Amino acid sequence: MLGITKDLGLSASATGVLLSSFFAGYALMQIPGGYLADRFGYRNVILISVLMWSVFTVLTGSAWSLTSMIVIRFLFGIGEGGYFPSGSKALASWFPQNERSRAMSFMLASGAIMGVITPILSTHLMTSVGWRSMFYMIGACGIVITLLLFFFLKERKADALPGMATEQAAVKPKAPLKTVLKTPMIWNLFLAYFSVYAINWGLNSWMPTYLVKARGLDMTSVGYLSAIPAFVGIFGMLLSGYILDKLPAGKDRLAAGILALVTGGLLYLMGSASSIPMFIAYQCLVGVFFAFISTLIASASLKSMPAELVGSANGFINTGAQVAGVLTPMLIGFMVDAFGGSYNAAFIMLVAFAALCAGALFTARAKPAAFSGLQARTAAYEESTGGTNI
């Protein structure tokens, strides 16, 4: 982002708007993407999402002004937006209940892995070939991945369990989104996901600029330092999935709420850290706790909702995360400009989001009784057949 802002001559506020434009499109596509996955299958939605991601990555390298970049990044978000809800539905189709947190943690960890690779790779590419060529190269790799998915990604729908066709039909909704919106726990998860991702997007989008402008580091050093918390986050993500599959229902949300409060304290310490090593150490702990909280929220609907609702449910929940992606970078940009380049107000805002996340998790209700009976019978059947629901 530093290379783009310098080339296009963007202010902090304009940079915030640019960062948010992608998430605006991405957020708008979450609910439609989940519906399309439930209606037409996750394979088709995933293929289209990855293809559109690749095309708009290439087009990003062709942007000539702030306006053109905003439009491209907005359409970029629209194109990619169906990936997460359709991927969630794929996990619900392939994995039994007691393995879905681990499956989700692997899916989320792919993003954490790129969080390690991207800062290092992008800084080297920007300094060697420029940011435009960098986007061309990454987009070409995406097109190759799309072709591989076309040949190797398969659709696999859950079969009706013996003796349960009537019960399945009784809970299968005619209006998936309406049914999702009537589930109180989904609203809590939406708010919690919004809050925790407000922290995540705030740190990911602005910490490189903060380290350069407020801490005086060069771009290469920032690239390596930014990779450290992301690398730690990979292990946190994978470990969190294993732990969550072992925790009793309800205890997982309590633990995540406590970690959200601790995260708020760590964010305060980050803002007042006296040295770069301490700053990075606090950020690493924030990354580990973020991994646990985000994995819990993303896998909760996979465990508590019928398979027919998973795409719509996670599409709605993830809308909260993407709305945070729209608002947080812009808010931080405006705050930095308003306070003369100081980031103190931005850190205070992130602490408040941590408290909001904790409150949403502490007050989350149990899953609906209508779904609980079906899920219990499904789990019993899985156990009797060796742990498979397909």
Side-chain angles (χ1 to χ4, degrees):
M1 183 56 67
L2 288 172
I4 297 174
T5 56
K6 182 179 179 180
D7 193 13
L8 298 180
L10 305 181
S11 65
S13 298
T15 302
V17 173
L18 176 57
L19 289 168
S20 297
S21 60
F22 167 83
F23 296 106
Y26 196 86
L28 287 174
M29 193 59 190
Q30 289 304 296
I31 294 174
Y35 171 79
L36 291 173
D38 286 336
R39 179 70 176 81
F40 299 106
Y42 57 80
R43 181 180 182 273
N44 293 330
V45 180
I46 288 175
L47 286 173
I48 293 173
S49 296
V50 177
L51 177 61
M52 297 303 291
W53 178 92
S54 306
V55 170
F56 283 106
T57 297
V58 173
L59 291 176
T60 300
S62 303
W64 61 93
S65 65
L66 174 60
T67 301
S68 66
M69 181 68 82
I70 289 174
V71 172
I72 290 170
R73 298 299 289 179
F74 176 78
L75 295 175
F76 194 147
I78 292 286
E80 187 185 339
Y83 178 81
F84 181 81
S86 57
S88 299
K89 186 171 182 64
L91 296 183
S93 298
W94 282 88
F95 291 91
Q97 244 184 312
N98 61 351
E99 295 179 7
R100 289 177 187 172
S101 288
R102 275 171 283 182
M104 178 59 73
S105 71
F106 273 90
M107 178 174 160
L108 296 177
S110 64
I113 291 172
M114 293 311 299
V116 174
I117 297 173
T118 300
I120 299 174
L121 180 62
S122 62
T123 51
H124 283 291
L125 286 175
M126 280 192 292
T127 55
S128 59
V129 301
W131 64 269
R132 294 184 184 276
S133 296
M134 177 188 72
F135 279 107
Y136 296 150
M137 295 167 63
I138 295 174
C141 292
I143 292 174
V144 173
I145 293 172
T146 304
L147 292 173
L148 292 174
L149 288 173
F150 179 81
F151 289 107
F152 294 106
L153 179 63
K154 305 298 181 183
E155 183 89 19
R156 190 173 188 182
K157 299 180 180 179
D159 297 327
L161 303 180
M164 292 178 58
T166 302
E167 289 136 337
Q168 287 248 13
V171 299
K172 186 173 182 179
K174 295 181 179 179
L177 182 58
K178 184 177 181 180
T179 306
V180 165
L181 295 179
K182 288 183 177 180
T183 308
M185 185 183 70
I186 295 299
W187 285 95
N188 286 77
L189 296 177
F190 174 93
L191 182 58
Y193 220 35
F194 167 85
S195 303
V196 75
Y197 263 94
I199 298 169
N200 182 66
W201 297 133
L203 293 179
N204 286 348
S205 61
W206 279 102
M207 283 309 98
T209 303
Y210 169 80
L211 291 173
V212 170
K213 294 187 175 181
R215 298 283 182 159
L217 299 181
D218 60 88
M219 285 182 60
T220 303
S221 298
V222 169
Y224 283 108
L225 289 174
S226 298
I228 296 174
F231 184 77
V232 174
I234 294 173
F235 295 98
M237 196 74 71
L238 297 175
L239 182 62
S240 65
Y242 178 82
I243 294 173
L244 286 168
D245 278 335
K246 300 297 182 181
L247 287 177
K251 299 295 184 182
D252 49 0
R253 293 192 297 276
L254 176 62
I258 294 172
L259 291 181
L261 292 177
V262 176
T263 297
L266 291 169
L267 289 166
Y268 175 81
L269 293 174
M270 281 180 64
S272 58
S274 58
S275 66
I276 296 299
M278 289 303 298
F279 180 91
I280 297 300
Y282 293 138
Q283 190 176 358
C284 286
L285 290 174
V286 169
V288 172
F289 296 156
F290 164 78
F292 186 93
I293 297 168
S294 61
T295 302
L296 162 71
I297 298 169
S299 60
S301 65
L302 274 67
K303 292 183 172 183
S304 62
M305 305 291 281
E308 294 85 357
L309 290 172
V310 166
S312 297
N314 260 22
F316 177 72
I317 293 168
N318 199 40
T319 300
Q322 307 317 315
V323 170
V326 175
L327 296 178
T328 311
M330 286 194 297
L331 288 174
I332 292 178
F334 292 141
M335 286 180 174
V336 171
D337 280 345
F339 288 89
S342 172
Y343 286 77
N344 292 337
F347 277 105
I348 292 174
M349 180 182 69
L350 296 182
V351 171
F353 279 131
L356 182 61
C357 178
L361 290 171
F362 285 144
T363 57
R365 297 183 185 181
K367 57 193 176 184
F371 300 152
S372 299
L374 174 61
Q375 294 290 357
R377 290 188 290 274
T378 302
Y381 177 81
E382 291 170 3
E383 183 178 357
S384 68
T385 55
T388 179
N389 69 339
I390 53 179

